[in-house]
Amino acid sequence: MKTLELTPRLQLLADQVPPGARLADVGTDHAYLPVWLRLHGRVVSAIACDLREGPLARARETGRAYGADGIDFRLGDGLSVVSPEEADTIVIAGMGGENIAAILEQAPWTADGVHRLLLQPMTRAEALRRFLMDHGYAIRRETLVRDRGTLYPVMEAAGGEMTLSLGQLYGGAALLHDPLGERYIIEKIIRLTNAVAGLNHARERQKADALREIITALLSMREEWRRAKSWRD
């Protein structure tokens, strides 16, 4: 039997799935994550969901190729094909933060405090953090991983309450002790600074001012990270 190796991004997600979990993987694509977890006996069951038949067919093929059992492959939009009692750990990864937020908005039962959410936005992480804050979720842990030269955040969330500052919305809810935290913040500052430079017209001044406010908040976040590092050292 050939060995399945995960990318660093998927491996971090796998490491955060608690042993004995009942998993739902939304937007499973090739189903590498649920297949790996089943092969390693980490989950007792897995539901692999995808919106399109093509990716779901690839997911089934991955399961067959590696000989993984205990995975239920389902075609459907987001969590519409999963009932609350079928899973206690939900992974939504590999898509934009706004898409992840839209999936959660259509499944308000995920904020019941019972379900563990592992969320990995590829873009617009700040939109997802804002949604979680505004809709009764709390980020318990946030971790960064570098995969193919890009930094990605992985958020562990559940029902609860939290208040995030402007800096935390863009620079991470809980990354002050992450060794990659400063790099993540710097990359955000560079991207926003370039965006401000591209706003040359007077009618765009308000947008530019809003971006500058975010940059200022991120600079403060960077100083907080450095202070936290000095305490660690």
Side-chain angles (χ1 to χ4, degrees), residues 20-34:
R22 292 175 293 123
L23 178 77
D25 183 30
V26 179
T28 195
D29 196 12
H30 287 80
Y32 292 140
L33 180 65

Side-chain angles (χ1 to χ4, degrees), residues 10-233:
L10 290 179
Q11 188 62 61
L12 177 58
L13 284 162
D15 292 343
Q16 294 191 9
V17 173
R22 292 175 293 123
L23 178 77
D25 183 30
V26 179
T28 195
D29 196 12
H30 287 80
Y32 292 140
L33 180 65
V35 167
W36 188 93
L37 289 167
R38 281 294 296 157
L39 290 174
H40 288 78
R42 289 285 301 278
V43 296
V44 297
S45 64
I47 300 169
C49 317
D50 210 284
L51 179 61
R52 295 170 296 156
E53 184 56 58
L56 202 63
R58 292 194 294 269
R60 291 190 183 96
E61 178 54 35
T62 299
R64 285 193 294 268
Y66 290 95
D69 61 2
I71 302 175
D72 191 357
F73 299 94
R74 298 182 185 178
L75 181 67
D77 187 3
L79 284 160
S80 64
V81 292
V82 180
S83 59
E85 66 276 4
E86 288 183 298
D88 52 41
T89 302
I90 298 164
V91 173
I92 312 177
M95 61 186 80
E98 290 171 318
N99 289 339
I100 296 174
I103 289 170
L104 293 175
E105 190 168 24
Q106 295 301 314
W109 52 266
T110 55
D112 60 6
V114 175
H115 292 84
R116 180 193 304 255
L117 309 177
L118 296 176
L119 312 173
Q120 188 277 298
M122 303 293 277
T123 59
R124 296 299 311 279
E126 68 278 2
L128 177 57
R129 295 186 190 103
R130 187 179 296 278
F131 171 86
L132 294 172
M133 179 178 67
D134 292 343
H135 289 80
Y137 299 87
I139 296 173
R140 295 174 173 173
R141 175 172 56 166
E142 188 167 352
T143 312
L144 293 169
V145 61
R146 188 183 299 278
D147 196 330
R148 300 176 186 176
T150 301
L151 287 178
Y152 298 105
V154 172
M155 307 170 195
E156 179 186 333
E161 295 183 1
M162 68 174 176
T163 301
L164 300 179
S165 67
L166 185 60
Q168 288 174 313
L169 285 172
Y170 284 83
L175 293 177
L176 286 183
H177 298 284
D178 192 295
L180 297 172
E182 185 180 32
R183 184 70 247 169
Y184 184 72
I185 293 168
I186 289 172
E187 289 180 2
K188 294 285 184 182
I189 292 171
I190 292 171
R191 193 172 300 120
L192 291 170
T193 302
N194 290 337
V196 169
L199 298 174
N200 298 318
H201 301 291
R203 65 178 180 272
E204 296 174 321
R205 185 173 300 163
Q206 187 174 2
K207 183 176 180 181
D209 288 344
L211 293 179
R212 290 190 187 98
E213 184 180 359
I214 298 168
I215 291 169
T216 300
L218 286 172
L219 288 169
S220 296
M221 283 280 292
R222 184 187 183 191
E223 289 306 310
E224 286 185 53
W225 185 92
R226 287 181 163 183
R227 285 195 295 271
K229 182 178 185 298
S230 68
W231 295 335
R232 293 194 302 271
D233 295 344

